Amino acid sequence: MNKTADYRFTIIVPVYNEEDNIYTLEERLRAYLPATAAGGQPACALFVNDGSKDRSGERLREICGRNPHFYWLDLARNSGLSAAMKAGIDATYSEYVGYMDADLQTAPEDFDLLLPHMGEYEMVMGIRTGRKDSFVKNMSSRIANGFRRMMTHDGVEDTGCPLKVLRTDYAKRIPFFTGMHRFLPALIQLQGARVKQVPVRHFPRVAGQSKYHLWNRLAGPFMDCFAYRWMRKRYIDYRTGDTNL
């Protein structure tokens, strides 16, 4: 166990070269976390530094040093978003685990729209409304979402929305692979989990640069859909019964 066990909800924030957003992240999460405690869902933030090459790691240590509900975890090298999410989930022992991007294109306050549904669902995720991305990014996302829905039958409109909450015990059983973050709803459904979608706000990026381009938004997910279909037929889902261990 670790300090996240003292909370009901852990917000994982993967960080890769986001030094210009770190202090804004601190301000927004520092304002939000006390409200979660007042609402009966005490939360902490776990920043996973994915081998950043700028000053992100240094600034994360700085803000975690002055905020009691902030924690950080370094990856030894840059391993990608899926690896950073897996590392955060593996390190989490609260009842619920959430995820948001460091670019603040979604608001931490909108977790309050998702958390009330966690008693009925194993995963609740956002649908970005009024997206503030470029035409190319919006169109490529729409194409990728449509193809993924056809291949996975997960029924999810916007799997790319970075605002998600999962039951931690289910999250820890998700089979992880590179590109997994695009398939979280489909992967958790392999366990018989129920997924709900809730509209959330979306904002333009105000600092730093996007890590995604046309290739990793279309070609990568296209190939990963076939990997998911292969794995779905071979997925092992079991629950243990009594034991004398």
Side-chain angles (χ1 to χ4, degrees):
M1 293 294 182
N2 57 35
K3 295 176 182 177
T4 63
D6 297 332
Y7 301 86
R8 192 163 191 207
F9 177 39
T10 300
I11 301 170
I12 297 173
V13 188
V15 175
Y16 177 63
N17 292 348
E18 293 282 3
E19 63 178 10
D20 293 333
N21 277 316
I22 300 301
Y23 295 141
T24 306
L25 270 171
E26 175 189 22
E27 179 182 341
R28 296 293 297 277
L29 285 166
R30 183 171 58 191
Y32 172 66
L33 293 182
T36 66
Q41 304 274 15
C44 65
L46 172 58
F47 302 93
V48 181
N49 178 27
D50 184 22
S52 295
K53 298 176 176 60
D54 62 1
R55 293 180 293 172
S56 293
E58 173 188 334
R59 292 186 176 185
L60 288 176
R61 286 167 172 75
E62 178 186 343
I63 67 172
C64 289
R66 61 182 176 234
N67 290 281
H69 306 299
F70 285 15
Y71 304 97
W72 57 268
L73 170 67
D74 277 346
L75 298 190
R77 59 182 176 82
N78 175 238
S79 301
L81 178 57
S82 293
M85 289 179 65
K86 174 171 171 53
I89 290 171
D90 286 347
T92 294
Y93 290 90
S94 54
E95 182 178 1
Y96 304 134
V97 58
Y99 156 60
M100 66 174 288
D101 278 346
D103 60 16
L104 285 170
Q105 288 195 260
T106 50
E109 296 83 6
D110 283 356
F111 278 119
D112 290 344
L113 302 174
L114 277 54
L115 285 167
H117 301 285
M118 289 306 297
E120 302 175 56
Y121 298 88
E122 286 72 41
M123 177 179 182
V124 184
M125 58 182 294
I127 302 174
R128 291 168 288 186
T129 58
R131 288 187 60 177
K132 302 301 190 294
D133 291 323
S134 67
F135 172 81
V136 171
K137 187 172 181 180
N138 282 332
M139 183 57 64
S140 60
S141 177
R142 184 175 301 177
I143 293 170
N145 269 312
F147 183 75
R148 175 197 45 75
R149 278 196 305 273
M150 180 185 70
M151 293 289 284
T152 65
H153 304 291
D154 62 7
V156 170
E157 181 177 336
D158 183 17
T159 191
C161 180
L163 214 63
K164 298 179 173 72
V165 182
L166 304 87
R167 274 183 47 178
T168 303
D169 54 342
Y170 277 75
K172 287 181 180 291
R173 293 196 297 266
I174 291 175
F176 279 74
F177 53 88
T178 300
M180 169 280 315
H181 59 277
R182 305 181 187 98
F183 294 87
L184 276 175
L187 291 168
I188 199 171
Q189 286 172 353
L190 292 175
Q191 304 175 46
R194 298 159 296 177
V195 177
K196 183 175 179 62
Q197 304 170 76
V198 177
V200 297
R201 296 171 294 171
H202 191 247
F203 305 92
R205 177 187 268 272
V206 297
Q209 295 182 341
S210 173
K211 312 304 184 294
Y212 295 97
H213 45 74
L214 197 59
W215 171 260
N216 60 23
R217 197 177 293 118
L218 282 181
F222 178 84
M223 293 183 289
D224 288 343
C225 280
F226 292 97
Y228 168 81
R229 291 281 291 263
W230 178 90
M231 184 202 64
R232 183 176 63 184
K233 295 180 179 179
R234 294 158 178 82
Y235 177 70
I236 298 173
D237 182 29
Y238 70 92
R239 302 290 189 273
T240 58
D242 292 337
T243 178
N244 69 343
L245 288 174

